[in-house]
Structures are given as structure tokens and as C-alpha cells.
Amino acid sequence: MDCHTQWHALQESYFDPDGFRLALNAFLQTHRSVTSLLLKHNKNLPGFDEWFTTYSNTTAKLEVMRWAVKSRNRIVHESDLELHSSCQVTWIGDWRTRSEAKGNFLPRMSVKEILSAIRQSRGMPPFGTITINRRWIDKALDSWEVLDACAAVYMHLNELLRVGHHAASTEGCTLDGSYVECVTADLPLTSGYLPCMHIAQSDLTSHFSVPDGSAVSEVSEEFEVDAQRAAEAIQGYKLPPEFPDGDAIARVPGLMKIARKVMEKDGVHGTFAFLFSGESLITAQAMQFDSQRTKRLSFESLARLVERTRADGVLVIGEIWMGVQTEIEKKLNTVLIPARDQIGKKEGLSVYAVTRDGRQLEQVCFVERGANGETTCSEPIEGDPGVLNTMVPIFRAWKEMESRGL
């Protein structure tokens, strides 16, 4: 549990060189102390010789596990690890204008110093946002990213303790402590990382505004459907008892029915994204943005989630401004004047979906506000959504996945 907590401290200090070094040293020493304690108390552990010998002859010989042991010994007896820092920098001007570059920076450089160097570099446009994705590598294990390596050694330790508990016919612990919510005494049987480690590792990024260097936050949160709250919502909103099924395209009409009822009852509707693999719902995200730049960052983040989950369908629900595309815009297949900036714009509700095989579908309805604050949604209009700027990052992710054979 201490190791788990220290792994999160390592992740949280990823952009602070000194904090990262201290957290890494603490994690590696605590990790080593667990196996040392097992060896110390081996006579009290049922079947120890069998299950620990199996671990010593297999898992302990893996490259990443040998690195953990050697690194702990080096930290204690010699010096800090020889860490290297590289960054992938993404500049985003608008939905369709972006560029990427990779660079190496001195390990002791803070993200503020890295940002300053980037902003002063020749050719950097004076607008848009910069996303910095940092990557720490130890020279002794240059094929691994350090946080990923620590997650791997933690999960091998989790498996060792799980097997030891099983041998002692102890299936679970009641050990408690003042830890973060995800840190428990559970020892799950899994071939991958813990869910919290998957989420934390996925976005080792910081976002900044180019003109003033201020930090920019994109807010997206994965959520699970609570059965009890879902039942209450069905009754309160008078929704159909069965949730729409099928792939992303097939679910558009059913989710529009639900969205209209929510909009008419509450007067507002949040933005939600659903990711699919075929007809299976992989995950759902609530998305919030207070500007176009945070909106772009949120959909860039969604695109990374598409790649990680190998999703082949995306469905988005949310409020929109509706305008009329000019003939020139139709010929150029773009939007020159966003609907939000058009004089004759109208408020709407949209449910649209795209799939990796090229299918697209959108339903939209107009939203009318009454004199007494009542909200009314028109019958939905269905068609090909045409230009979808928000889906540009998704299409890019699928194209890159195809090029890598994913």
C-alpha cells in the first residue's frame, strides 16, 4: 500500500525534477523492503519456499525487476539514477492546424523553463496552445519510461503477494490506512495495471497558452453508470426503461430521445462522449470547456483515449449553436465563420457519431426558450453531419493507428 501511494506521488511530481527524483528514490526503496520483509519472515509464511522460489526463478529475473533492485542499491550506496528527460511538444492553432516536435531538455529543467525555451524558439506562432508531454528515462533501462517501469514492478509485487495470500488460504486483508481512495489492501488478479495507473499514466501532459504562458486545463472525467441513480433518472425523466443498444451509429436515435427529455426537464444538457468497440460500450466521459482552446484540448485528450482503448466508434451528445454554411464554405469543406459568431445563430441539441470504417450520422433538434423559462425541443433532423471539427483529432488518431497496424 505504501508502494501504491508512492507511485501516485511519483506521477503527481512528474513535471517537478526534484520532486520526481525524491519520489522515485522512495518508491524503489519501499518496493525492495517488501521482498526483504518476506525473506525475513519466511518461516511464518505457508508454502513460502515454493511460491517465492518460483518468483525468484521467473519474475525476479525480468529486466525491469532487475533494474528495480539494482537501482535501489545504487540509490542507497552510490548516487541518484542517471535520468534523461525528453519532451514531445504539440502546438495547436485551431482544429485543423497543429504541429509536433520532439526535443531533449536538461533533466533539472522545470516545465516553466522548458515552456520559456519553446516560446522563444524561432518560428513559434504567437497564438494557440502548447502541450508538453514529458518522458523520463533511466540510462540503465532506456527501453522503458520510468513511471511505466515502476507500475510494472508494482504489479509484479502485487502478484507475488496475491500468490502468497492464496497459499496461506487468506483471500483478503482488512488492513486500512490513511491513503488516497484507490489505495486498498486488495490484491487483484490482473494481467495489466490497476485502473488508476492506466488513467494516471495516460496523460503526463501540461497545456499552456502561447501568448502569455498561462496554464490551460481541459476537464474530462470518465464515469460509470450507477444502477440506482440510473433507475431514478428513468423514473424522474420518464425515459424508456431500456438503454439504446448497437454500435455508435445505431444508438444515435435512442440517445437523442433521452437527450431531448433531459433538455426539456432541466433546460441544460452537458457534453458527453461515449467510446465503442463494435456494439460494446467501452467507456463514457463527461466533458467541460470554457473556451474553444479548452474544447480543442478536450477532444485531443479524447483522441488519445480512443487510441489507448482501440475504440472504433465515438458518439457525442451536447448543446450546440446552429448556423448556415455558406456556399464558399461548402466548396472548401470547412467553416470560415463559426455558428457561435453568426448573427442568426440558433440554439440546438446534437447527437452525432462516427466510426472507424467511415460511417457518420447526426441528429439535431432546435431548442426554444419560452417566456416562463420552459424549454422545448423540436423533432430531430437526421443526416450526414458533414464538417465535424471536433472529430478531426479522432480521425487523425484512427489514421495514425492504421499506419502502425493497430
Side-chain angles (χ1 to χ4, degrees):
M1 294 167 76
D2 286 345
C3 275
H4 188 169
T5 302
Q6 289 169 343
W7 186 93
H8 282 288
L10 188 64
Q11 180 263 328
E12 290 167 3
S13 61
Y14 204 85
F15 281 87
D16 173 16
D18 286 326
F20 186 78
R21 174 180 56 82
L22 290 170
L24 177 60
N25 291 354
F27 173 87
L28 291 171
Q29 291 179 70
T30 302
H31 178 271
R32 180 57 175 163
S33 72
V34 176
T35 51
S36 296
L37 284 167
L38 289 175
L39 289 167
K40 176 72 174 179
H41 297 281
N42 66 87
K43 294 180 180 180
N44 302 321
L45 304 176
F48 177 84
D49 289 341
E50 181 179 351
W51 54 266
F52 196 85
T53 298
T54 300
Y55 165 82
S56 298
N57 292 335
T58 54
T59 304
K61 293 185 177 181
L62 295 174
E63 179 188 33
V64 71
M65 298 302 285
R66 289 188 284 108
W67 166 81
V69 174
K70 291 179 180 179
S71 296
R72 178 265 176 192
N73 293 338
R74 178 175 177 179
I75 289 166
V76 172
H77 300 295
E78 299 179 32
S79 65
D80 290 331
L81 304 184
E82 190 173 343
L83 298 177
H84 296 271
S85 174
S86 66
C87 289
Q88 177 169 310
V89 179
T90 303
W91 170 81
I92 300 175
D94 56 35
W95 288 106
R96 297 173 183 273
T97 307
R98 74 197 297 272
S99 61
E100 295 184 0
K102 292 184 178 180
N104 293 312
F105 297 90
L106 295 174
R108 297 298 183 193
M109 286 183 70
S110 67
V111 68
K112 184 177 181 179
E113 292 170 328
I114 293 173
L115 175 64
S116 178
I118 294 171
R119 292 177 64 211
Q120 293 175 16
S121 62
R122 181 177 299 178
M124 173 57 66
F127 61 93
T129 58
I130 292 174
T131 295
I132 300 176
N133 189 322
R134 194 165 199 168
R135 182 179 172 86
W136 286 103
I137 303 291
D138 178 24
K139 187 177 180 181
L141 190 74
D142 58 9
S143 61
W144 285 74
E145 183 275 324
V146 171
L147 189 65
D148 189 39
C150 290
V153 299
Y154 173 85
M155 293 311 301
H156 287 310
L157 185 65
N158 172 90
E159 178 62 13
L160 173 65
L161 294 179
R162 191 191 68 80
V163 172
H165 279 66
H166 181 72
S169 298
T170 303
E171 298 302 327
C173 287
T174 57
L175 190 64
D176 198 4
S178 300
Y179 299 93
V180 294
E181 183 180 1
C182 62
V183 179
T184 69
D186 292 339
L187 299 168
L189 174 60
T190 176
S191 59
Y193 297 160
L194 298 178
C196 60
M197 291 184 172
H198 272 300
I199 295 170
Q201 278 184 300
S202 62
D203 275 324
L204 298 177
T205 58
S206 291
H207 310 287
F208 303 93
S209 168
V210 173
D212 59 9
S214 61
V216 179
S217 298
E218 43 91 5
V219 181
S220 298
E221 181 179 359
E222 293 186 54
F223 65 90
E224 295 182 1
V225 177
D226 181 277
Q228 182 177 348
R229 292 183 64 184
E232 293 172 355
I234 288 172
Q235 183 176 2
Y237 290 97
K238 298 180 180 180
L239 303 176
E242 295 183 358
F243 194 76
D245 57 10
D247 67 5
I249 301 295
R251 297 196 194 206
V252 169
L255 287 174
M256 172 54 88
K257 290 181 181 179
I258 294 174
R260 290 173 66 206
K261 289 184 177 293
V262 171
M263 189 73 185
E264 290 182 339
K265 182 175 176 59
D266 295 345
V268 294
H269 199 295
T271 300
F272 299 93
F274 300 85
L275 270 56
F276 297 87
S277 176
E279 296 187 357
S280 300
L281 176 62
I282 301 175
T283 187
Q285 278 202 333
M287 307 176 73
Q288 299 179 34
F289 18 80
D290 56 10
S291 66
Q292 280 297 299
R293 65 183 183 184
T294 55
K295 185 176 183 179
R296 285 193 290 269
L297 291 173
S298 294
F299 278 92
E300 288 281 344
S301 177
L302 184 66
R304 293 194 295 273
L305 184 60
V306 165
E307 181 174 349
R308 294 197 306 273
T309 60
R310 304 295 189 262
D312 58 20
V314 177
L315 183 148
V316 178
I317 303 173
E319 295 184 59
I320 60 171
W321 289 113
M322 302 170 66
V324 179
Q325 193 177 18
T326 65
E327 291 301 319
I328 293 178
E329 290 174 326
K330 290 179 182 179
K331 290 180 180 179
L332 297 176
N333 191 33
T334 189
V335 174
L336 300 176
I337 303 177
R340 65 181 183 278
D341 297 328
Q342 294 181 18
I343 297 177
K345 64 185 178 184
K346 293 186 177 182
E347 188 178 357
L349 183 63
S350 168
V351 179
Y352 60 90
V354 298
T355 58
R356 189 172 175 177
D357 60 13
R359 291 175 294 138
Q360 301 183 26
L361 180 64
E362 180 180 34
Q363 284 195 350
V364 297
C365 64
F366 292 102
V367 176
E368 300 291 341
R369 306 286 182 176
N372 297 320
E374 67 273 16
T375 303
T376 305
C377 295
S378 69
E379 289 295 318
I381 303 170
E382 184 174 300
D384 186 320
V387 179
L388 282 176
N389 282 332
T390 55
M391 290 294 100
V392 169
I394 310 300
F395 296 144
R396 184 187 303 116
W398 279 333
K399 185 176 180 180
E400 292 175 354
M401 288 166 62
E402 185 71 25
S403 67
R404 300 200 305 271
L406 300 178

